[in-house]
């Protein structure tokens, strides 16, 4: 399968713990996006990379969130000191220079 | 990006055409209309986009009014697998830097046998 992949698919963690998610974009896609989706709502933009450079961050991305794309390929999204309000689906998408975005299946985070 | 308005839900019969409306009265001249859909427990999936002219691909047709203030996504022969939330999104040129997608509430479409 050459689509966008995300791991893990599900993560349950206790409040206060740190979690890290990984996204592997479609090969050769230079843009990578992270979105968050809560139940019943549309996805909300968090941040985006062009190659390894993080070019835009949403105000939703608090100081507890950090994203990296060290070699311009896969990306990680880390949440430190998780809160119950962080429970959501975290979606990754990739695109080639502004063409349509292809989404992965998402990582569902539950903070207990 | 311009705001869009969609009905929250609609039903359609299997095998019939599904017409999904979207209002975007504040759209700018350089903004495109994009449609994505999200099947339950999956990530959003690109369907189609257009600027001024009507567009058709293997999934759907997009009809944009002459004043560009509204559009309709047409699924010509709805199947049960088309049950999903459909998002109408207005965005600037796809070649622009960044170009994040701004999702609204979408239309929850239920295709019934």
């Amino acid at each position: 399968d050459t689509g966008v992949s995300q791991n893990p698919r599900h993560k349950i963690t206790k409040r206060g713990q740190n979690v890290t998610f990984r996204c592997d974009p479609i090969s050769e896609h230079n843009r990578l996006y992270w979105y968050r989706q809560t139940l019943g709502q549309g996805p909300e933009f968090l941040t985006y990379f062009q190659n390894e450079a993080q070019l835009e961050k949403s105000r939703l991305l608090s100081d507890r969130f950090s994203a990296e794309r060290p070699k311009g390929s896969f990306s990680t999204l880390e949440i430190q000191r998780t809160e119950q309000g962080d429970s959501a689906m975290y979606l990754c998408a990739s695109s080639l220079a502004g063409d349509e975005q292809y989404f992965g299946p998402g990582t569902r985070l539950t903070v207990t | 990006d311009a705001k869009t308005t969609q009905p929250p839900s609609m039903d359609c019969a299997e095998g019939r055409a599904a017409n999904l409306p979207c209002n975007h009265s504040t759209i700018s001249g350089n903004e495109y209309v994009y449609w994505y859909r999200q099947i339950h427990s999956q990530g959003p999936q690109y369907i189609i986009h257009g600027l001024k002219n009507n567009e058709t691909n293997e999934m759907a047709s997009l009809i944009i009014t002459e004043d560009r203030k509204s559009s309709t996504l047409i699924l010509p022969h709805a199947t049960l697998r088309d049950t999903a939330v459909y998002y109408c999104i207005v965005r600037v040129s796809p070649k622009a830097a960044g170009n994040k997608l701004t999702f609204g509430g979408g239309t929850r479409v239920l295709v019934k046998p």
Side-chain angles (χ1 to χ4, degrees):
Chain A
D1 189 326
T2 56
V4 178
S5 62
Q6 293 187 245
N7 288 289
R9 292 293 309 277
H10 303 274
K11 178 71 176 178
I12 300 174
T13 192
K14 293 184 177 180
R15 188 177 53 189
Q17 297 294 305
N18 299 343
V19 294
T20 300
F21 311 139
R22 176 178 170 126
C23 171
D24 287 89
I26 293 173
S27 179
E28 297 179 356
H29 278 191
N30 60 343
R31 292 186 181 177
L32 188 148
Y33 304 79
W34 284 99
Y35 293 82
R36 180 175 71 184
Q37 185 174 27
T38 54
L39 203 59
Q41 304 297 314
E44 297 172 292
F45 169 78
L46 291 178
T47 190
Y48 122 88
F49 292 84
Q50 177 149 318
N51 299 314
E52 65 276 8
Q54 188 174 18
L55 297 186
E56 187 174 351
K57 292 195 290 186
S58 162
R59 283 172 290 181
L60 292 175
L61 212 65
S62 75
D63 292 344
R64 296 184 297 106
F65 288 69
S66 62
E68 294 182 345
R69 194 183 183 198
K71 297 181 180 179
S73 56
F74 73 92
S75 175
T76 58
L77 177 68
E78 181 183 17
I79 308 174
Q80 296 183 327
R81 305 181 302 282
T82 53
E83 302 173 355
Q84 288 189 321
D86 297 330
S87 294
M89 175 76 82
Y90 290 84
L91 293 160
C92 175
S94 70
S95 72
L96 184 62
D99 287 344
E100 60 266 19
Q101 294 178 26
Y102 292 85
F103 283 80
T107 295
R108 180 166 296 283
L109 173 66
T110 301
V111 182
T112 62
Chain B
D1 295 335
K3 181 178 171 59
T4 61
T5 303
Q6 299 177 252
S9 64
M10 63 182 293
D11 295 346
C12 65
E14 185 181 20
R16 304 295 294 270
N19 297 304
L20 282 60
C22 179
N23 287 322
H24 30 79
S25 59
T26 60
I27 191 170
S28 300
N30 64 344
E31 289 181 317
Y32 289 69
V33 180
Y34 273 71
W35 284 83
Y36 279 75
R37 74 178 183 183
Q38 188 172 22
I39 295 170
H40 183 62
S41 295
Q42 297 183 20
Q45 176 190 23
Y46 165 79
I47 301 173
I48 198 168
H49 75 279
L51 181 63
K52 295 180 182 178
N53 300 321
N54 299 336
E55 302 288 344
T56 295
N57 63 19
E58 64 278 5
M59 291 183 67
S61 295
L62 174 60
I63 308 298
I64 302 174
T65 58
E66 192 169 346
D67 63 8
R68 303 209 321 125
K69 293 185 177 182
S70 65
S71 60
T72 301
L73 179 74
I74 301 173
L75 307 177
H77 305 286
T79 71
L80 299 180
R81 288 174 294 182
D82 291 323
T83 291
V85 178
Y86 288 76
Y87 296 100
C88 171
I89 298 168
V90 170
R91 62 190 289 209
V92 296
S93 165
K95 301 303 181 183
N99 211 17
K100 60 183 180 287
L101 296 171
T102 302
F103 291 83
T107 296
R108 188 172 300 275
V109 174
L110 176 61
V111 180
K112 296 182 175 180

